[in-house]
């Protein structure tokens, strides 16, 4: 069975073909970075325009690389949300048109759920794994930070989210105050690679309430305040400053995740989403966690259509779910 | 030969199925809030009800703007993916030219571009005699021209709202077939925005 996946929730136009439970036949991603760079962030109208321009050719490319034709497609899976409405709509309309033209079922899936299945794709550590549950997932990206308990495929319990900024958002802001562009995460990672991560103290989490929730606005504010107060450090010790800020953020993520993993006695921890590619995050998890931690390969940790294809495949094959041709974009969609 | 037309550049939205001889089926609608983007759903239903093979159409027509950015994008993406996957020729239609086909004499056809701006072009008996432009309301609101639109406009001294006439649209489309005004590579079709990205957003550098 071949699933064509389409992902256009943000600024990357992505199309993939996967076979059965996660063999990747093609995984095409047309990045729009170059168009948004000059604007200092993603401009929704530009993202939608580029998606509309690129979607058709990205489908053609994915078919070509997979050495397949349109008639070989058995299922069309597309991100329905969360994300930018105008961007989502382009992918959804392309998927609906394909489903109609090819007479094949359509399934709209949640982007966050998609990130979870990046761990189960070919090349990822849980490819074709069956008995990993209960399993804890940390979704961490530019727009999301949440802990999800997975009792089985397609069965989720959200333990906690961020109360304010996502982890990726905090680090993007920190980078911007240092005068760097977007996205900030990889820039801070590079700048702080050789720095001393314990040199400058930044606050951890101190709020009362659920110990599975996150908050990054305090850390973000502390980081910005530090930059403003210590121009000399910015000038002479940027590497340790970046390493320290990144380390503080990583610590929050790792500590909360490991606590939840122990509390729920899970068999494993999966860390997914764009920030999961961060080296310090990976190393800290591996050195601190008594429970096995799994990461998707780097090329599958950022937004991609393979994960959307696989998520749709599971919904279709395990639950017989399909979406109607009235499928619409849902900009704020929760797991 | 049967043909399909899709439009979501302006309200009402349209899915039309017609032949060389007559209209077969038309859905001209102001979509409800629950299903704002139902063009493909409506189109599939049309084919199902009539038991017409979707590979049957000899061409797909799509209004590619100017008009609502999002609406135009939806119909353009729908039409080009359909044309590509069904291997059917794709014919782009300009919304203002389609409007002008409904009236004779000298008129300016017009559609809202939001932000108090309008897409406008001048026509004489359906033939365009000016560029398609985007202009401020103040610039044109007091002009003595006859403005014609599918939309209900306010403030204009002389304006006429028209409802899409399927017979006019059918003839307009068949004329495009006759003139072979199809787009060679359907996937290359892009909406006509007129408002450039650089003008929409300030660059930070
Ligand atoms: Zn994502």
């Amino acid at each position: 069975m071949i699933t064509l996946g389409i992902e256009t929730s943000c600024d990357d136009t992505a199309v993939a073909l996967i076979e059965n439970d996660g063999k990747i036949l093609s995984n095409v991603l047309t990045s729009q970075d170059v168009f948004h760079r000059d604007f200092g962030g993603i401009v929704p109208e530009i993202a939608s325009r580029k998606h509309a321009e690129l979607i058709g050719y990205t489908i053609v490319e994915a078919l070509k690389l997979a050495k397949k034709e349109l008639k070989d497609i058995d299922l069309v899976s597309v991100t329905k949300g969360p994300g930018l409405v105008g961007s989502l709509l382009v992918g959804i309309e392309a998927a609906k048109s394909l489903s109609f033209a090819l007479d094949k079922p359509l399934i709209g899936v949640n982007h966050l759920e998609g990130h979870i299945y990046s761990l189960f794709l070919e090349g990822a550590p849980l490819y074709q794994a069956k008995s990993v549950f209960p399993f804890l997932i940390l979704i961490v990206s530019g727009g999301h930070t949440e802990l999800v308990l997975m009792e089985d495929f397609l069965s989720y319990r959200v333990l906690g989210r961020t109360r304010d900024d996502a982890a990726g958002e905090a680090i993007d802001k920190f980078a911007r105050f240092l005068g760097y562009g977007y996205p900030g995460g990889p820039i801070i990672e590079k700048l702080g690679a050789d720095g001393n991560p314990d040199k400058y103290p930044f606050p951890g989490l101190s709020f009362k309430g659920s110990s599975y929730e996150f908050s990054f606005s305090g850390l973000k504010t502390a980081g910005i305040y530090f930059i403003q107060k210590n121009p000399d450090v910015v000038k002479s010790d940027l590497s340790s400053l970046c390493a320290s800020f990144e380390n503080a953020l990583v610590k929050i993520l790792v500590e909360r995740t490991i606590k939840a993993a122990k509390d729920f006695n899970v068999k494993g921890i999966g860390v997914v989403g764009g920030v999961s590619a961060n080296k310090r995050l990976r190393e800290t998890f591996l050195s601190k966690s008594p429970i096995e931690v799994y990461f998707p390969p780097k090329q599958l940790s950022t937004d991609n259509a393979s994960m959307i294809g696989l998520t749709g495949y599971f919904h279709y094959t395990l639950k017989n779910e399909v979406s109607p041709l009235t499928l619409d974009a849902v900009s704020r969609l929760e797991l | 030969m049967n043909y399909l037309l899709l439009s979501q550049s302006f309200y009402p939205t349209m899915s039309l199925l017609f032949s060389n001889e007559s209209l077969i089926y038309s859905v001209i609608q102001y979509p409800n809030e629950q299903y704002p983007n139902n063009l493909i759903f409506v189109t599939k239903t049309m084919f199902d009800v009539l038991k017409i093979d979707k590979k049957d159409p000899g061409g797909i027509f799509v209004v590619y703007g100017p008009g609502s950015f999002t609406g135009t994008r939806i119909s353009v993406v729908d039409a080009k993916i359909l044309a590509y996957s069904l291997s059917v020729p794709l014919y782009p239609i300009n919304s203002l030219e389609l409007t002008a086909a409904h009236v004779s004499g000298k008129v300016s056809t017009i559609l809202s571009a939001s932000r108090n701006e309008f897409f406008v072009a001048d026509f004489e008996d359906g033939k365009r005699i000016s560029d398609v432009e985007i202009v401020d309301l103040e610039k044109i609101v007091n002009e003595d021209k006859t403005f014609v639109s599918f939309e209900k406009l306010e403030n204009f001294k002389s304006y006429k709202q028209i409802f899409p006439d399927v017979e006019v649209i059918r003839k307009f489309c068949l004329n495009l077939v006759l003139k072979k005004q199809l787009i060679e590579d359907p996937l290359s079709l892009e909406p006509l925005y007129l408002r450039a990205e650089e003008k929409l957003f300030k660059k930070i550098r």
Side-chain angles (χ1 to χ4, degrees), chain A residues 37-40 43 45 48-49 52-53 57 60 63 70 89 93-94 96-97 100-101 103 325-326 328, chain B residues 35-37 40 44 54 69 73 78 80 82 84-85 185 187-188 190 193 195 200-201 203-205:
Chain A
R37 210 174 287 153
D38 288 348
F39 299 96
V43 182
E45 174 62 20
S48 308
R49 288 185 181 195
E53 185 185 324
Y57 295 118
V60 171
L63 285 165
L70 282 171
L89 274 173
E93 291 302 321
K96 280 153 75 168
S97 302
F100 166 50
D103 250 327
L325 287 180
T326 48
D328 209 351
Chain B
Y35 300 118
N37 302 313
I40 288 293
K44 180 183 191 305
K54 55 182 159 283
F69 287 173
R73 249 189 312 266
D78 287 351
K80 70 180 182 180
L82 283 184
Y84 155 71
S85 42
D185 170 9
L187 293 181
S188 70
E190 285 179 41
Y193 296 109
R195 204 187 264 132
L200 271 170
F201 314 103
K203 292 195 181 189
I204 56 161
R205 286 180 279 165

Side-chain angles (χ1 to χ4, degrees), chain A residues 56-102:
Chain A
Y57 295 118
T58 313
I59 292 170
V60 171
E61 186 67 13
L63 285 165
K64 206 171 94 188
L65 286 176
K67 296 191 177 69
K68 296 286 174 193
E69 292 173 37
L70 282 171
K71 63 173 172 50
D72 299 320
I73 296 168
D74 299 297
L75 174 69
V76 182
S77 179
V78 63
T79 306
K80 66 177 175 187
L84 302 167
V85 171
S87 290
L88 288 164
L89 274 173
V90 173
I92 288 173
E93 291 302 321
K96 280 153 75 168
S97 302
L98 279 177
S99 162
F100 166 50
L102 306 175

